[in-house]
């Protein structure tokens, strides 16, 4: 265990009373509560933390925030490991263990660093130009490319954690808890607005935590803490730390991602989610998202020990860590001067400060007084040191970025702090449809178009001086509150000390130095260099998007947060055009990566999709039924007895129905009640056949077509009373049909007096079927005469069954005498059990949908969606008689279109195959199986018929009805053979229907 | 044209890669062309390439309103397959897959075709039936396709959850081994370079704002760079076909919708096929860079905004975790949307229009990338000869009047 | 995610709604009077503008009523919603 050699004796927002042990790449270290993994590593003097994506160059911690390009680690081991975590965003917890990603065999000795040696053969897009011959070698090359790409490893065990979602509305959402955001939230809250303020870091305060700036005579961080605690006490204000605004959607819909666990003070317990997604609908949004410091582009600008200047300030002030022993500070703006002083105060020797600007800054005096050597008009022209930085060269530079003369001076150092200016963090603005424009003076892209309902404040708006930032934050909060109809007074004025901002920036996109052997990285994540951009431009990839895609600039895990603006600048220089002409790439969501699990939330596993069960489900489970997923429903497929397999159980269940009596849970059927004087007329238009003439007490099979003439549902509809109808639909079609009815009623025929109600779940439906069905029911039913004369087929009766109010339909899908008994859902189980008991002496058996399918196929009854797809007309099914021309109905006109009306279309027929054939098998024309084989149809349903003791099938075959009696070939291409089958009528059993009319 | 090869790469490395020529030029538009192709996406560039290569028509301009390959070509999930149910679709997509198989060589540009196999999962008996129907038909059409058992699928995709705990079991699936992915940008760039080398003018940042039509015949286009005459005009503008048809004065049976996709952060290889599931609704593959690439359904309202709604993303990730519970801690790095032009039967429209010499190729819906070379091949032939190519003929606009739709919706396992 | 003002229930999240395509398509009173092309126009051809678009939505997980929406297909801005069978606020203003 090493000492924290780089920890400053005092200061920082860490809790020195709480030591935290952690491991990195197998070594043990100690840090403090409040550290990030990055700050703790720096405190322990760890400089080398990772390897780069392409060239596997040694890399160190570069930033202190979500833009970190180098310090990507694999967190934890085994099943709960998390890949690609930024060490700068991981809060230290006891026992935390992390390893560097994308190194092999180890971080210090990485074999793939050979890529750096042969990098001259690997320019941007090299893979487009090579690996083409011999063609058979490409999979081998590709395998090699794949294995060397990628970063972290995928976990191997399921995630034990849970994730939550919250839906919230607010008046004002403030994104960013820096000075501007806090002021905005305060102003809006004071006006009485419902406010949410979110910040991605563990503490509110933003840059105030990383500087010595003062507000109102106190430290900026104390001011931030005060404002935060004031906000937190307000009932209508939600203060969210560790919460990133990831996505800005339509109509001020913002997705926040909150890290609930993963820090020392995290709540514990099974109910605590790992992360929570907040789906916020805000009437007004204030984006106080701050700015990201830009790197400088110079030769070998990626060595471990090179770091953003603001990050160095962060480590000193927030974490009490010296990021190095001896530093050089280089930049193109004022922000480097206070940093030099801060570093000195922290015990870092600052040997030189290189300001690219020729004019000395007004802030220079303080630094100079501190003994820092200040070199104006100078920039970094080279660096030394492989595993860590050992020295830098500084040289004067001319206006075009060229190094003038041979006047470079070398400085030994282990830390180089760089500042290339600040880029407003405008991701959310861009996602919301805002636009940016390049501002020469401020040296950054600033908002040019801000959509309604959004306000920008602070450095996100290109405003960097603290006093102005606070004023702008307040103004944004006031304006947002006013926009939602609230008024507010002014906040007490805050006097600021410090916070000068970057001042005038000298944009210098790259240093042009002799660099055959050096690389100037524009995108540290993806190892894209200035040479890559130049190559892209030379080869014609000149649109920003082409450059991005060709060089992969901005496509790494930081999505261009660090490199994009520099890349634009380099490209603009390369093309000799102003930056605004070059344009920007779009910022795509999320702002920072969001966990899959969090976005999926609770809707996974058993809750991925609702499971629907019938009122009789418990009975089926108890009886050992095997279930089948039908849409969301769990339906009993068969009920094996003893050691029966499916075929045996189904055969037995079929026999029960054909020779005795069987019982089916048909509760999943779609059921719709229709009331009103115009239902008859309405159904005439909805169904292809006529319904207005259906007498009360009768029911009728109907076919529904889409307006394109294709069959889309079927079912039986009954007339219970003059103005009261009851429609059944297919199980899968229930919701669709109800929507269909309402669509036509509301939008096309509002004059019809019809009311529809979906009652699918209100009724349990039990089908009692078989020659003994009447005997079973007779003992249980009151009030009605069950005889065929008094209650014939296709009639409906309301009656009491074992005392339960029931609607009984005489309809049959098995071909046997059948009663479909509907009772209110809560009585379903009572009815079912009564029927089972009453049926005992007839050896009644429940049967599942598999047996039902065999039975219905024996009768030639279709199942819509099984024997049909979206291309089948009533005539194709042989149902022209119920889809005539006597009245108009939906879809009728389409049946007359030339192709739809032609003869010889694929028509439904029966097949008697010589052996069982799988459903989906194709019927072919000709004898040969030499491809392409002409196909004339396919098998839609295929079963072993227990009743006929042979395989039967239904099929759609071209001109099939004219082929009855002929033999056709069914191809089994996997077995390279055909099965012969005789074409028949689809009705295999009891064609005259005497059994169901019994 | 400087050939691309390892040897030339080495040669150029000695000059610091400073001597590579342009992959394609940036000419000013001429005043007239034999053929103007509107739309510099993959399909448009392929059309120009085959017009030049197969028909010797090189006085051609490709007009692109933005940057080439910037529409759906650069926004899709790069899946290639030809396992379509209906004969008409199978023939067209198989032509395309075959062209893809030779495309790197044909273009001398590595499109990084990776035929790692496409698996369609079946989670219900209904889907198994559809798998059987499709695989049988596809095989008989001479296209590779097989049915997999859950065990075979588990062997190919070990991290797939085929066990209990999921909402839906995996009952089996269909596999097309020749299916896979390709680098989408490379397809556009390679086609552009090849077309350019044969004399085609590729003109970017040139938006077509109108058609010059005289007595029912197109004579050229109006553009943001001025009018340009042409004997024939072919329009291939996925995501904007309706807008262009409107400019030409007719209506299309097309609606434009956002289709979203996303990628994870890069990971070491863990998943080596393309996997699709219709029931839980997601399709996934892992790119050569290591990102998990994912797509699902489209937003059902009309939009040209190139962004979609969150519920689609939430559903997509739920579906992903249903199949791969171990991926829960991965992170979404980037999400985006494209605009897809959807026909009522989910099949494209290729061929003549009510305006003479004006040809449209559109309505590829969610499946255009895999059709890129095939679409260009038949469209070039159609434009060159003035009559639909045999494989394009069934996809004519008048099928919506006759009713001879090619309905891939009905049995489509998943948005493709 | 859109925020859609249902004329009956007020503004609700998109997830509660389903779109129904172009508004104002009237089913021909006498389909037989149309030739195949005209019938196909009714059946399949749709306005698909990049810009303001009048479309139907149903508040499927709310009041289950269909209504009309005028929405911009490039910005997704919603300008007006009005009940089925009524005139759009715009047209009322213009005296249509």
């Amino acid at each position: 265990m090493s000492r924290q050699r780089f920890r400053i004796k005092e200061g920082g927002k860490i809790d020195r009373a709480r030591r935290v042990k952690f491991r990195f790449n197998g070594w043990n270290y100690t840090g403090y509560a409040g550290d990030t993994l990055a700050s703790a590593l720096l405190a322990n003097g760890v400089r080398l933390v990772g390897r780069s994506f392409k060239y596997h160059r040694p890399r160190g911690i570069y930033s202190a925030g979500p833009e970190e390009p180098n310090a990507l680690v694999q967190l934890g081991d085994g099943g709960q490991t998390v890949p690609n975590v930024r060490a700068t965003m991981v809060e230290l917890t006891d026992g935390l263990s992390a390893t560097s990603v994308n190194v092999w065999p180890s971080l210090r000795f990485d074999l793939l660093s050979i890529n750096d040696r042969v990098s001259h053969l690997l320019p941007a897009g090299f893979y487009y130009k090579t690996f083409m011959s011999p063609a058979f070698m490409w999979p081998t090359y590709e395998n090699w490319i794949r294995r060397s790409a990628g970063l972290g490893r995928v976990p191997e065990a399921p995630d034990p954690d849970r994730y939550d979602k919250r839906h919230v509305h607010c008046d004002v959402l403030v994104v960013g808890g820096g000075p501007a955001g806090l002021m905005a939230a305060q102003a809006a809250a004071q006006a009485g607005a419902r406010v949410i303020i979110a910040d991605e870091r563990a503490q509110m305060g933003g840059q105030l935590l990383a500087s010595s700036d003062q507000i109102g005579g106190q430290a900026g961080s104390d001011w931030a803490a005060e404002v935060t605690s004031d906000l937190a006490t307000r009932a209508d204000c939600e203060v969210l730390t560790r919460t990133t605004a990831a996505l800005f959607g339509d109509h001020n819909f913002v997705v926040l991602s909150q890290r609930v666990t993963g820090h020392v003070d995290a709540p514990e317990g099974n109910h605590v989610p790992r992360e929570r997604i907040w789906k916020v609908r805000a009437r007004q949004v204030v984006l106080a998202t701050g700015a990201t410091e830009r790197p400088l582009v110079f030769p070998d600008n990626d060595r471990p020990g090179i770091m953003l200047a603001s990050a160095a300030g962060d480590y000193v002030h927030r974490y009490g860590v010296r990021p190095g022993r001896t530093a050089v500070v280089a930049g193109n703006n004022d922000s480097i001067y206070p940093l030099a002083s801060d570093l000195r105060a922290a015990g870092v020797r600052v040997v030189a400060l290189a300001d690219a600007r020729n004019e000395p800054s007004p802030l220079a005096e303080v630094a100079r007084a501190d003994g820092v050597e200040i070199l104006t008009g100078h920039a970094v022209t080279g660096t030394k040191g492989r595993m860590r930085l050992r020295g830098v060269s500084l040289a004067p530079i001319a206006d075009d970025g060229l190094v003038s003369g041979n006047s470079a001076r070398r400085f030994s150092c282990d830390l180089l702090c760089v500042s290339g200016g600040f880029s407003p963090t405008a991701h959310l603005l861009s996602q919301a449809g805002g636009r940016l424009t390049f501002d020469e003076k401020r040296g950054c892209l600033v908002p040019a178009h801000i959509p309604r309902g959004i306000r920008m404040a602070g450095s996100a708006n290109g405003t960097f001086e603290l006093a102005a930032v606070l004023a702008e934050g307040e103004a944004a909060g006031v304006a947002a509150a006013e926009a939602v109809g609230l008024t507010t007074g002014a906040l007490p004025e805050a006097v600021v000390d410090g916070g000068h901002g970057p001042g005038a920036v000298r944009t210098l996109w790259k240093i042009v130095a002799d660099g055959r052997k050096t690389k100037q990285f524009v995108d540290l994540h993806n190892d894209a260099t200035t040479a890559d951009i130049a190559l892209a431009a030379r080869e014609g990839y000149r649109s920003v998007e082409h450059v991005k895609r060709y060089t992969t600039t901005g496509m790494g895990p930081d999505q261009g947060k660090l490199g994009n603006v520099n890349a634009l600048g380099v490209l603009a220089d390369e093309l000799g055009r102003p930056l605004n002409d070059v344009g920007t790439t779009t910022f795509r969501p999320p702002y920072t990566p969001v966990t899959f699990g969090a976005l999926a939330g609770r809707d996974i596993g058993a809750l991925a999709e609702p499971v629907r069960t019938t009122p009789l489900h418990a009975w089926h489970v108890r009886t050992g039924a095997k279930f089948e997923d039908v849409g969301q429903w769990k339906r009993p497929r068969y009920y094996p007895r003893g050691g029966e397999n499916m075929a045996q159980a189904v055969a037995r269940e079929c026999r029960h129905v054909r020779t005795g009596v069987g019982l089916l849970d048909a509760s999943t059927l779609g059921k719709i009640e229709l009331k009103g004087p115009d239902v008859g007329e309405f159904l005439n238009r909805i169904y292809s056949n006529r319904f207005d003439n259906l007498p009360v007490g009768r029911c009728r099979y109907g076919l529904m077509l889409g307006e394109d003439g294709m069959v889309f549902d079927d079912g039986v509809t009954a007339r219970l009373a003059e103005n009261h109808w009851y429609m059944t639909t297919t199980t899968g079609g229930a919701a669709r049909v109800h929507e269909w009815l309402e669509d036509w009623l509301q939008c096309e025929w509002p004059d019809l007096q019809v009311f529809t109600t979906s009652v699918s779940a209100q009724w349990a439906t039990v089908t009692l079927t078989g020659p003994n069905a009447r005997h079973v029911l007779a003992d249980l039913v009151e009030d009605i005469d069950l005889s065929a004369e008094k209650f014939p087929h296709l009639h409906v009766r309301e009656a009491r069954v074992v005392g339960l109010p029931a609607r009984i339909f005489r309809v049959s899908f098995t071909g046997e005498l059948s009663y479909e008994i509907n009772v209110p859902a809560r009585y379903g189980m009572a009815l079912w059990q009564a029927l089972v008991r009453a049926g005992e002496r007839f050896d009644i058996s429940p049967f599942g949908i598999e047996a039902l399918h065999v039975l219905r196929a024996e009768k030639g009854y279709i199942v819509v969606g099984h024997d049909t797809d979206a291309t089948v007309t009533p005539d194709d099914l042989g149902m022209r008689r119920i889809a005539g021309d006597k009245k108009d109905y939906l879809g009728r006109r389409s049946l007359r279109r030339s192709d739809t009306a032609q003869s010889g279309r694929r028509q439904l027929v029966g097949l008697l195959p010589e052996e069982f054939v799988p459903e989906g098998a194709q019927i072919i024309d000709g004898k040969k199986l030499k491809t392409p084989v002409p196909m004339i149809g396919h098998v839609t349903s295929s079963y072993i018929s227990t009743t006929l003791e042979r395989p039967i099938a239904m099929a759609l075959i071209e001109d099939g009805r004219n082929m009855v009696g002929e033999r056709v070939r069914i191809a089994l291409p996997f077995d390279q053979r055909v099965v012969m089958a005789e074409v028949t009528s689809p009705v295999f059993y009891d064609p005259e229907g005497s059994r169901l009319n019994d | 044209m400087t050939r691309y090869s390892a040897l030339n790469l080495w040669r150029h490395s000695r000059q610091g890669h400073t001597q590579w020529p342009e992959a394609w030029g940036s000419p000013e538009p001429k005043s007239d062309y034999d053929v103007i192709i509107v739309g510099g996406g993959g399909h448009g560039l392929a059309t120009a390439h085959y017009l030049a290569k197969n028909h010797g028509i090189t006085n051609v301009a490709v007009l692109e309103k933005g940057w080439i390959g910037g529409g759906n070509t650069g926004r899709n999930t790069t899946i290639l397959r030809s396992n379509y149910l209906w004969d008409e679709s199978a023939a067209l997509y198989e032509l395309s897959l075959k062209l893809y198989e030779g495309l790197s060589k044909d273009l001398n540009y590595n499109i990084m075709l990776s035929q790692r196999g496409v698996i369609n999962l079946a989670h219900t008996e209904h889907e198994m039936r559809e798998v059987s129907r499709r695989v049988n038909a596809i095989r008989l059409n001479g296209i590779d396709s097989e049915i997999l058992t859950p065990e075979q699928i588990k062997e190919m995709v070990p991290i797939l959850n085929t066990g209990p705990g999921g909402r839906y079991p995996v009952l089996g699936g269909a596999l097309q081994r020749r299916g896979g992915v390709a680098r989408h940008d490379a397809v556009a760039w390679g086609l552009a370079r090849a077309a350019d080398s044969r004399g085609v003018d590729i003109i970017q940042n040139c938006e077509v704002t109108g058609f010059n039509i005289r007595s029912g015949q197109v004579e050229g286009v109006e553009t943001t760079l001025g009018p340009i005459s042409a004997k024939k005009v072919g329009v291939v503008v996925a995501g904007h076909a309706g807008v262009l048809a409107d400019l030409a004065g007719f209506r299309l049976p097309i609606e434009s919708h956002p289709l979203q996709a996303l990628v994870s952060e890069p990971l070491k290889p863990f998943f080596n096929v393309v996997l699709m599931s219709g029931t839980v609704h997601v399709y996934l593959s892992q790119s050569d860079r290591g990102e998990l690439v994912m797509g699902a359904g489209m937003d059902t309202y009309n939009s040209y905004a190139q962004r979609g709604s969150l519920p689609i993303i939430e559903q997509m990730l739920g579906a992903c975790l249903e199949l791969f519970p171990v991926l829960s801690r991965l992170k979404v790095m980037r999400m985006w949307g494209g605009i897809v032009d959807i026909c009522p039967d989910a099949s494209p429209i290729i061929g003549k229009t009510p305006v003479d010499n004006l040809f449209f190729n559109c309505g590829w819906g969610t499946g255009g990338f895999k059709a890129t070379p095939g679409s260009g091949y038949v469209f070039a032939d159609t434009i060159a000869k003035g009559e639909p190519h045999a494989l394009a003929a069934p996809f004519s606009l008048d099928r919506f009047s006759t009713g001879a739709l090619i309905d891939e919706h009905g049995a489509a396992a998943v948005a493709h | 995610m859109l925020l859609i003002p249902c004329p009956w229930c007020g503004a609700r999240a998109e997830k509660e709604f389903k779109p129904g395509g172009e508004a104002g398509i009237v089913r021909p009173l006498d389909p037989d009077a149309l030739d195949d092309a005209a019938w196909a126009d009714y059946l399949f051809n749709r306005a698909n503008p990049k810009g303001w678009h009048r479309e139907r939505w149903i508040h499927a997980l709310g009041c289950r009523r269909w209504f009309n929406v005028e929405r911009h297909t490039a910005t997704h801005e919603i300008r007006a919603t009005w009940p089925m069978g009524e005139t759009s606020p715009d047209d009322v203003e213009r005296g249509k």
Side-chain angles (χ1 to χ4, degrees), chain A residues 848-867:
Chain A
I849 50 174
E850 198 63 31
L852 178 69
H853 274 302
V854 178
L855 296 165
R856 65 93 192 169
E858 288 172 348
K859 280 291 293 179
Y861 292 142
I862 60 153
V863 172
V864 171
H866 190 136
D867 300 291

Side-chain angles (χ1 to χ4, degrees), chain A residues 823-848:
Chain A
V823 294
R826 63 186 181 279
Y827 301 139
M829 186 65 94
L831 171 72
W832 180 272
Q833 286 174 334
L835 289 167
V836 169
R837 268 195 306 277
E840 266 168 14
R841 63 196 171 98
F842 300 99
D843 192 21
I844 196 169
S845 169
F847 65 102

Side-chain angles (χ1 to χ4, degrees), chain A residues 53 80 82-84 86 102 120-121 123 127-132 138 142 146-152 154-159 161 163 165 247 250 253 255 274 279 516 526 535 538-543 545-546 549-550 552 555-557 559 588-590 593-597 599-600 605-606 608-611 628-629 631-632 637 865-866 869-871 897-900 919-920 922 929 931-933 935 938 971 973-974, chain B residues 4-6 9-10 13-14 17-18 20-24 26 67-68 74-75 86-87 104 108-110 112-114 116 124-126 129 132-133 135-137 139-142 145-147 165 167-169 183-186 189 204 264-272 286-292 294 307 310 313-314 317-318 320-322 325-336 400-404 407 410:
Chain A
F53 187 76
Q80 297 188 31
V82 192
N84 305 339
R86 288 134 190 82
N102 197 26
H120 58 287
L121 293 175
Y127 29 77
Y128 300 133
K129 296 187 171 107
T130 49
F131 303 131
M132 279 178 284
W138 165 242
E142 192 198 18
R146 282 169 78 82
R147 259 186 293 176
S148 55
L151 293 172
V154 164
E156 279 153 23
D159 190 343
D161 289 321
Y163 300 86
K165 285 183 190 170
L247 184 154
D250 289 309
F253 177 73
V255 177
R274 179 167 173 252
K279 301 202 241 179
R516 283 292 294 271
N526 274 353
L535 176 64
R538 187 177 312 122
E539 293 193 272
Y541 303 89
R542 291 186 191 124
S543 139
E545 285 286 347
H546 282 159
R549 287 153 183 264
Y550 192 64
T552 73
M555 298 186 79
Q559 290 291 291
R588 286 165 171 171
V594 180
T595 308
F596 281 16
L599 283 167
E609 176 106 356
V611 177
E628 180 180 334
D629 289 304
Q632 295 175 330
R637 194 173 187 197
H866 190 136
D869 55 26
T871 68
R897 296 175 300 175
S898 59
D899 185 82
T900 317
E919 289 173 350
Q922 298 288 320
L929 274 180
T931 60
V933 184
M935 289 167 266
H938 77 284
F974 292 98
Chain B
Y4 287 166
S5 67
L9 189 71
W10 174 75
S13 77
R14 290 152 52 104
H17 298 286
T18 54
W20 284 107
E22 287 187 330
W24 60 85
S26 38
W67 38 283
I68 59 167
R75 291 168 182 272
W86 301 108
D87 297 351
S104 290
N108 178 233
Y109 200 107
N110 191 351
M112 307 179 86
L113 173 68
S114 178
R116 60 182 76 164
T124 63
E125 296 299 329
H126 175 75
R129 204 155 48 233
S132 165
R133 181 182 177 193
V135 170
N136 272 294
R139 270 186 96 93
L140 292 169
N141 266 322
S145 192
E146 46 202 282
I147 296 176
R167 171 67 176 84
Y168 292 104
R183 176 94 183 95
H184 53 10
D185 292 327
W189 298 340
Q204 303 185 75
S264 74
E265 295 180 301
L267 295 145
K268 289 292 170 195
F270 65 94
F271 172 53
N272 208 26
Q286 191 181 9
S287 75
D288 282 346
R289 299 176 47 75
E291 300 147 343
L292 188 66
M294 206 182 301
R307 66 168 182 271
L310 185 71
I313 298 291
E314 294 174 296
L317 289 163
C320 168
L321 297 188
E322 174 75 6
V326 298
L327 301 187
S328 170
R329 290 171 169 238
L330 265 50
K331 296 198 191 80
V332 177
M333 183 169 78
R334 179 172 70 241
M335 53 178 88
W336 67 91
F400 297 97
S401 297
T402 65
D407 198 335

Side-chain angles (χ1 to χ4, degrees), chain B residues 18 21 42 66 72 80 85 99-100 110 141 150 166 177 188 199 210 239 282 285 319 329 346 353 366 377 393:
Chain B
T18 54
N72 292 343
L80 308 178
L85 173 67
L99 290 168
Y100 262 124
N110 191 351
N141 266 322
R177 289 189 193 273
V282 67
S285 66
R329 290 171 169 238
T353 66
T366 58
Y377 189 99

